[in-house]
């Protein structure tokens, strides 16, 4: 088993170092919807966003105190909520999440509670309340972000209590972690929260300009981010999302962009600048990803939602130049590189057959002795005498234009090609030697 693992790792490293192909990730604008207002499909101050397994998009609007539901292309589908403290009413709904059964969870910020609805807005449950606002288990003090894992457990980020609380899908308290501070596992102002398919929890800390990653029970795993405008830096990260491959997306609000990272925080991509055009943002406050990898962004200041799709750009292969001349000597080394090389042996005799291309027969071998008979084919005027000297140029006249193959003039060019190929072989051999030395040091190979 250990040998198998070592072999697989060897092959992987060889592929990466020798045959690897780099691909650049970019995101292209797909569509947008929304404008300022209170009508269907309009927004006052959109904050939170979520998408269900069918691609329906849910948006939490703080100013209008409602949830709106759309299709994946932005077609308005439903809405619910008014201002108030009763079930189904809201006071500044800050964020929204959807479970695998399409149940919708809403952070009712000013009412210090979570409300649960069906996908059409029917009220199902609630926990926490304005009356019981506090710091105890199951209580809230300005909840801001919400996420649901594949088992239906609910995670809530609390701004004022500087912590994450975990609940079952019916609101039963399960766990909590976090205190105020800058250390690992501590928070300044935790705003956004997301969960990956392994139930790892990612928290966007707006004031500390960083992302922290935890296990499902709150064990600190890693962190990344500092204040700034560079790749991997943030200016007020408001929200975080995770795709099915574990990639992490951050709404970098004051930098007016989205950044994408690996699950360990390695920077992968970014897009967005300040503005009102397609692909531009004015304070992106929310972000989510659907099962196809499409990214939806809450463009807060522009009162709209924008949708993006990934576009993989791969390098264009360089065409291989095929020699069309024939050497007069046999090469002493084999050419084994390049997409057109198929032989790894060196011929010891000249070729005795001709390669036919189209309607013109081209002789690809060089005679080593004078002919003993008069050639009667491939000529427009048959020869009647036998030449006494060896030709260095063979002219073939056919119904097509004359093709002249000059052997003497191509020897130097062919030798140069062989030298270049040998140099490439030596270079790749050096790389492979370095890889094997590296693997010997790791695995203790002799």
């Amino acid at each position: 088993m250990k040998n198998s693992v070592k072999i697989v790792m060897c092959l992987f490293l060889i592929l990466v170092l020798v045959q690897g192909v780099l691909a650049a990730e970019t995101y292209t604008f797909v569509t947008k919807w929304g404008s300022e207002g209170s009508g269907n499909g309009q927004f006052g101050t959109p904050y939170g966003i979520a998408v269900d397994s069918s691609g329906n998009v849910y948006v939490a609007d703080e100013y209008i105190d409602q949830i709106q539901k759309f299709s994946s292309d932005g077609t308005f589908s439903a809405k619910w909520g008014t201002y108030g403290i009763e079930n189904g009413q809201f006071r500044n709904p800050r964020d929204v999440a959807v479970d695998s059964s399409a149940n919708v969870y809403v952070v009712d910020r000013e009412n210090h509670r979570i409300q649960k609805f069906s996908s059409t807005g029917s009220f199902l449950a609630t926990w926490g309340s304005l009356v019981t606002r506090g710091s105890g288990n199951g209580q809230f003090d300005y909840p801001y972000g919400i996420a649901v894992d594949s088992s239906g457990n609910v995670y809530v980020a609390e701004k004022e209590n500087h912590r994450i609380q975990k609940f079952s899908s019916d609101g039963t308290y399960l766990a909590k972690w976090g205190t105020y501070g800058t250390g690992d596992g501590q928070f300044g102002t935790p705003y956004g929260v997301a969960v990956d398919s392994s139930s790892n929890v990612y928290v966007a800390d707006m004031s500390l300009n960083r992302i922290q990653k935890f296990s499902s029970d709150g064990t600190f795993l890693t962190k990344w981010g500092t204040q700034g405008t560079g790749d991997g830096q943030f200016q007020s990260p408001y929200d975080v999302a995770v795709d099915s491959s574990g990639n992490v997306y951050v709404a970098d609000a004051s930098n007016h962009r989205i950044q994408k990272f690996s699950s360990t925080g390695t920077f992968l991509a970014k897009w967005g600048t300040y503005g009102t055009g397609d692909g531009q943002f004015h304070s992106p406050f929310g972000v989510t990803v659907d099962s196809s990898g499409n990214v939806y962004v809450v463009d807060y200041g522009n009162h709209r939602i924008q949708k993006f799709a990934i576009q993989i750009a791969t390098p264009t292969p360089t065409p291989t130049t095929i020699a069309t001349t024939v050497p007069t000597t046999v090469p002493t080394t084999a050419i084994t590189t390049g997409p057109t090389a198929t032989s790894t042996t060196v011929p010891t005799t000249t070729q005795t057959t001709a390669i036919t291309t189209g309607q013109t027969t081209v002789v690809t071998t060089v005679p080593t002795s004078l002919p003993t008979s008069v050639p009667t084919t491939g000529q427009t005027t048959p020869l009647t005498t036998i030449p006494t000297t060896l030709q260095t140029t063979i002219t073939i006249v056919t119904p097509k234009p004359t093709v002249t193959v000059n052997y003497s003039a191509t020897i130097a060019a062919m030798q140069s090609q062989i030298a270049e190929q040998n140099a490439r072989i030596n270079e790749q051999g050096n790389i492979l030697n370095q890889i094997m030395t590296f693997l010997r040091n790791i695995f203790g190979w002799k």
Side-chain angles (χ1 to χ4, degrees), residues 178-188 205 208 210 212 214 220 223:
T179 57
Y180 180 75
T182 60
D184 295 343
Q186 294 185 305
F187 303 108
D205 194 326
L208 295 183
R210 68 182 184 183
Q212 291 193 77
F214 303 88
F220 174 81
K223 65 182 177 182

Coordinates of all heavy atoms in Angstrom, one line a residue, residues 178-188 205 208 210 212 214 220 223:
G178 N -16.0 31.5 20.4 CA -15.6 32.9 20.0 C -15.8 33.8 21.2 O -16.8 33.8 22.0
T179 N -14.8 34.8 21.3 CA -14.9 35.9 22.3 C -14.3 37.1 21.5 O -13.8 37.0 20.4 CB -14.0 35.6 23.5 OG1 -12.7 35.3 23.1 CG2 -14.6 34.4 24.3
Y180 N -14.4 38.2 22.2 CA -13.8 39.4 21.6 C -12.3 39.4 21.6 O -11.7 39.2 22.7 CB -14.4 40.7 22.3 CG -13.9 42.0 21.7 CD1 -14.4 42.4 20.5 CD2 -12.9 42.7 22.3 CE1 -13.9 43.6 19.9 CE2 -12.4 43.9 21.7 CZ -12.9 44.3 20.5 OH -12.4 45.5 20.0
G181 N -11.7 39.7 20.5 CA -10.2 39.8 20.5 C -9.7 39.6 19.1 O -10.4 39.4 18.1
T182 N -8.3 39.6 19.0 CA -7.7 39.4 17.7 C -6.9 38.1 17.6 O -6.3 37.8 16.5 CB -6.6 40.5 17.5 OG1 -5.7 40.5 18.6 CG2 -7.3 41.9 17.5
G183 N -7.0 37.2 18.6 CA -6.4 35.9 18.5 C -7.1 34.9 17.7 O -8.2 35.2 17.2
D184 N -6.5 33.8 17.5 CA -7.1 32.7 16.8 C -8.4 32.3 17.5 O -8.4 32.0 18.7 CB -6.2 31.5 16.6 CG -4.9 31.8 15.8 OD1 -5.0 32.8 15.1 OD2 -4.0 31.1 15.9
G185 N -9.5 32.2 16.7 CA -10.8 31.8 17.3 C -11.5 33.0 18.0 O -12.6 32.8 18.5
Q186 N -10.9 34.2 18.0 CA -11.6 35.4 18.5 C -12.1 36.2 17.3 O -11.7 36.0 16.2 CB -10.6 36.2 19.4 CG -10.2 35.5 20.7 CD -9.4 36.4 21.6 OE1 -8.3 36.9 21.1 NE2 -9.8 36.5 22.8
F187 N -13.0 37.1 17.7 CA -13.6 37.9 16.6 C -13.7 39.4 17.0 O -13.9 39.7 18.2 CB -15.1 37.4 16.3 CG -15.1 36.0 15.9 CD1 -15.7 35.1 16.8 CD2 -14.7 35.6 14.7 CE1 -15.7 33.7 16.4 CE2 -14.7 34.3 14.3 CZ -15.3 33.3 15.2
G188 N -13.7 40.3 16.0 CA -14.0 41.7 16.2 C -15.5 41.9 15.9 O -16.3 42.1 16.8
D205 N -14.6 38.3 9.2 CA -14.6 39.2 10.3 C -14.3 40.6 9.7 O -13.2 40.9 9.3 CB -13.4 38.8 11.3 CG -13.5 39.6 12.6 OD1 -13.9 40.8 12.6 OD2 -13.1 39.0 13.6
L208 N -11.6 43.0 11.5 CA -10.3 42.5 11.6 C -9.7 42.1 10.2 O -8.6 41.7 10.0 CB -10.2 41.2 12.5 CG -10.5 41.5 14.0 CD1 -10.3 40.2 14.7 CD2 -9.5 42.6 14.5
R210 N -10.2 39.7 8.0 CA -9.7 38.3 7.8 C -10.8 37.3 7.7 O -11.9 37.6 8.1 CB -8.7 38.0 8.9 CG -9.4 37.8 10.3 CD -8.4 37.5 11.4 NE -9.1 37.2 12.7 CZ -8.4 37.0 13.8 NH1 -7.1 37.0 13.8 NH2 -9.1 36.8 14.9
Q212 N -11.5 33.3 9.0 CA -11.1 32.2 9.9 C -11.9 31.0 9.5 O -13.1 31.0 9.2 CB -11.3 32.6 11.3 CG -10.4 33.7 11.9 CD -10.5 33.7 13.4 OE1 -9.9 32.9 14.1 NE2 -11.2 34.7 13.9
F214 N -12.9 27.0 10.8 CA -13.1 26.2 11.9 C -13.7 24.8 11.5 O -14.3 24.7 10.5 CB -14.1 26.8 12.9 CG -13.6 28.2 13.4 CD1 -14.0 29.3 12.7 CD2 -12.9 28.4 14.5 CE1 -13.7 30.6 13.1 CE2 -12.5 29.6 15.0 CZ -12.9 30.8 14.2
F220 N -10.4 25.8 15.9 CA -9.7 26.7 14.9 C -8.8 25.9 14.0 O -8.0 25.0 14.5 CB -8.9 27.8 15.7 CG -8.0 28.6 14.8 CD1 -8.5 29.7 14.1 CD2 -6.7 28.3 14.6 CE1 -7.8 30.5 13.2 CE2 -5.9 29.1 13.7 CZ -6.4 30.2 13.0
K223 N -6.4 30.7 9.1 CA -6.9 32.1 8.9 C -6.1 32.7 7.8 O -5.0 32.3 7.5 CB -6.8 32.9 10.2 CG -5.4 33.2 10.6 CD -5.4 34.0 11.9 CE -3.9 34.1 12.4 NZ -3.8 34.9 13.7

